[in-house]
Amino acid sequence: MATHPTSGTQVLAGRPFPLGAHPEAGGVRFAVASSVADRVELCLIDEDLNERRIELTERTFGVWHGLVPGVTPGQKYGFRIHGPYEPKTGLRCNPNKLLVDPYARRISGTMTDMSAALGYADDPEGVEPSQVDSLGSVPLSVVTSPGGPDTGVKPEIPFEETVIYELHVKGFTQQHPDVPEALRGTYLGLAHPAVIEHFVRLGVTSVELLPVHTFSDEPSLVNAGRHNYWGYSPLGFFAPHAGYASEPGREVEEFRTMVAALHAANIEVIVDVVYNHTCEGGPDGPTLAFRGYEAPAYYLHDEDGHMADITGCGNTLESGSPTVVRMVTDSLRYWTTELGVDGFRFDLASTLGRPNGGPFDRDSTLLTAITTDPVLSRCKLIAEPWDATGEGYKVGDFSAQWAEWNGIYRDTVRDFWRGAAGGVDDLAYRLTGSSDLYDHTFRRPWQSINFVNAHDGFTLRDLVSYDGKHNEANGEDNRDGTNDNRSWNHGVEGETDDAGIRTLRQQQARNLFATLLLSTGTPMFVAGDELWRTQGGNNNAYCLDDPTSWVDWTETDETEAMLAFARRVIHLRANSPALRQPEFFDGRTTPTGRPDLIWLRPDGHELEEADWAEDDRRTLGMWIDGSNSQSRTREGELLADHSWLLLMHAGAEPVDVVLPGVEFGATFEPTLDTTTPDGEPASTEPLSAGSSLTLPARSLLLLKAPRQD
């Protein structure tokens, strides 16, 4: 490696905004923010790691900038920041560390030597900076031209019609037999016709991608010789992760191509974004980017200059910092406008509403900046409403434009079907959009993102197959991952040849899945659940890039049955406006003269006040009047529907049920039955009003009361 000085290079002034590297006027304009720097050097790196340093002398608004003639797209670069190294004040500038541009559109390479990337000599809180040069051991930024393949027309699926499918870009296609081997585990793998066909036949409207921002292994994994698989360890908030490109260096083009293919199939792309922490970890972690520019402008610090951590990841981005607010909103707009993304799921979103680490404020600067942005306000905005602290658990507390992952829904539905005490009071709220949580601040029921499991936790199959987690493969002696699983193995821990247990587990999985799709709100489920995927009881497979985490596409009788059931329920929801209403039930009188919703006991009568207080109640009937469903066409016209009777029984023994009287419908047609492998009722013969039937143990039955036109 050789270093060449600045002399002979003519640098034009350029301008400070937008930040990053932008080809223009026969060169590239560079702009990077650091209000504490004394000097900033742009470092141009060739393929042999020879370095040419060019000093940026223009500083405007705390932004160092300059236009360098002769530089072209594809040029690798970084920055060196000369400035104060004062850990006691949080400042850790060290020109020996080559820094990634926070606004880089592409990032090349990985950290190969963490010791070389450390900004300190011996003590992370000491006064001696490291003298080791990190060039050759850390990732590099890459100048990237704007534009690329057209991302197509955004589907703009109404939230009330949305079904979200959470997946991992690599894991979804890594073992797909119909995807060419060179494309497996890549953006182009997701764009393959066989994959698109699966999405379409399944009926999902939106794929939610686990993080696709460039990420790097966090210090704890590096020290343990392990790797980050999920990607919740970001390094670059503008650059698509290069590891998912089939051809190195073409990640931007391939990402755009993937988006176009999904849009052409009328499927939205939602990206899981991690704006709460970075891969640099705590003060003992490496200096790769943010820490080296101006650590207090990016990271939360206490009054003594120590990094504060409310994410459990070593550091926390300071949501009250103008630098962070600008970076996050710039990043979101880039992914929306340039890369075609339709929406975002915000990891540990409560931290975004806790400036200076204080109490949660739904109207905080960063959250408000996102919702009031003219571009971002049109996106689907989904918050994970908690962080690593008790103060951060804020389900139901975000402001009007935010949808939220509803962890209370997950826990309630799991508890009901495993037979835990608690009755049906809370369950009724969850089935109807959680009005107790969201019927305020102008929210709609679809802002409850309902789920019974997610990437973080058991798969659907494991939820009914394990009482406890089995995370030994993660290398943390089974200490990682939650212990609050609310799962049930149905008599045997893990896999079994017992036919009765296997049948019951599949039925319980169908109960959970059907409840999810038939609840008011926005359903979300995990890729592979419809294929009966297992992780062997691992509920935190974040570091396992192997078949444990990859979707298994092997066809068996069990996987085919579960897939058929999932398709049936999803399409049933799509074609039944009353089952996906955009308004809360409020007892309003419908054209039939009855309330929009009635709760029923097994004897066919309405639940009375005392019934709701019974902790051992295991059976619930829900009648929805479809004559005024409040669902609308795309043109805004109301959609009438049939009325529906949902019967749920979580008891261990069968129960006799009396259907409601003729005023609710002359007949009731069995439409979905979880006691059959594919959900097709054994008999679809209409049942008369007031007649009796027997619900088998742990079963769900949906009946249609045809409307009288």
Side-chain angles (χ1 to χ4, degrees), residues 3 11 111 148 211 261 384 387 433 515 526 551 581 585 630 633 690 698:
T3 300
V11 180
M111 180 175 62
E384 182 186 37
D387 57 31
T515 303
V526 183
V551 173
Q581 299 194 47
F585 296 100
Q630 302 303 300
T633 65
R698 302 186 178 97

Side-chain angles (χ1 to χ4, degrees), residues 18 63 87 93 123 185 211-212 221 307 325 337 354 367 403 420 462 499 633 671:
V63 175
C93 301
D123 179 2
V212 290
L221 284 179
M307 296 183 72
V325 173
T337 59
R354 298 184 62 184
L367 294 178
D462 290 353
T633 65
T671 304

Side-chain angles (χ1 to χ4, degrees), residues 5-275:
T6 301
S7 60
T9 301
Q10 181 184 10
V11 180
L12 305 178
R15 60 186 187 281
F17 298 117
L19 294 170
H22 301 274
E24 59 181 59
V28 173
R29 181 182 56 78
F30 295 90
V32 66
S34 176
S35 66
V36 299
D38 300 321
R39 292 171 52 216
V40 172
E41 290 180 305
L42 166 69
C43 306
L44 304 180
I45 315 297
D46 68 17
E47 293 304 316
D48 297 322
L49 295 182
N50 295 310
E51 175 184 11
R52 181 160 67 105
R53 299 187 185 183
I54 300 171
E55 189 164 348
L56 300 181
T57 59
E58 294 291 327
R59 180 171 59 177
T60 307
F61 314 131
V63 175
W64 299 78
H65 54 93
L67 194 154
V68 183
V71 179
T72 58
Q75 173 68 58
K76 296 179 180 179
Y77 71 99
F79 292 101
R80 295 184 185 272
I81 304 299
H82 299 259
Y85 186 85
E86 301 171 351
K88 66 180 180 181
T89 64
L91 296 174
R92 299 172 183 271
C93 301
N94 184 343
N96 293 302
K97 307 305 164 185
L98 187 66
L99 306 179
V100 167
D101 180 357
Y103 278 67
R105 268 52 172 176
R106 274 187 55 210
I107 296 175
S108 174
T110 61
M111 180 175 62
T112 58
D113 183 353
M114 191 170 77
S115 62
L118 298 178
Y120 56 91
D122 298 305
D123 179 2
E125 301 294 348
V127 298
E128 292 298 324
S130 167
Q131 300 301 316
V132 178
D133 197 296
S134 65
L135 175 59
S137 302
V138 295
L140 300 173
S141 308
V142 184
V143 175
T144 306
S145 296
D150 183 20
T151 58
V153 178
K154 293 188 175 186
E156 296 188 341
I157 306 293
F159 235 130
E160 61 266 29
E161 299 177 18
T162 299
V163 176
I164 298 174
Y165 190 61
E166 188 193 34
L167 64 81
H168 187 283
V169 171
K170 179 176 182 179
F172 191 70
T173 63
Q174 187 64 28
Q175 299 184 108
H176 199 300
D178 297 328
V179 174
E181 188 170 350
L183 301 183
R184 293 177 186 172
T186 70
Y187 301 121
L188 294 185
L190 283 184
H192 190 273
V195 175
I196 299 293
E197 181 185 15
H198 180 78
F199 296 149
V200 172
R201 292 189 65 195
L202 185 56
V204 297
T205 68
S206 311
V207 295
E208 181 174 305
L209 310 180
L210 266 66
V212 290
H213 288 162
T214 295
F215 59 88
S216 180
D217 295 334
E218 54 267 52
S220 60
L221 284 179
V222 173
N223 291 332
R226 308 183 73 80
H227 297 286
N228 190 301
Y229 169 68
W230 283 349
Y232 291 91
S233 187
L235 172 61
F237 294 111
F238 293 78
H241 187 62
Y244 300 149
S246 66
E247 183 179 339
R250 294 186 59 82
E251 53 268 22
V252 176
E253 292 89 340
E254 293 191 10
F255 185 90
R256 293 174 65 115
T257 299
M258 174 199 71
V259 171
L262 290 164
H263 282 175
N266 205 39
I267 295 171
E268 294 179 316
V269 178
I270 298 172
V271 172
D272 196 333
V273 289
V274 188
Y275 295 117

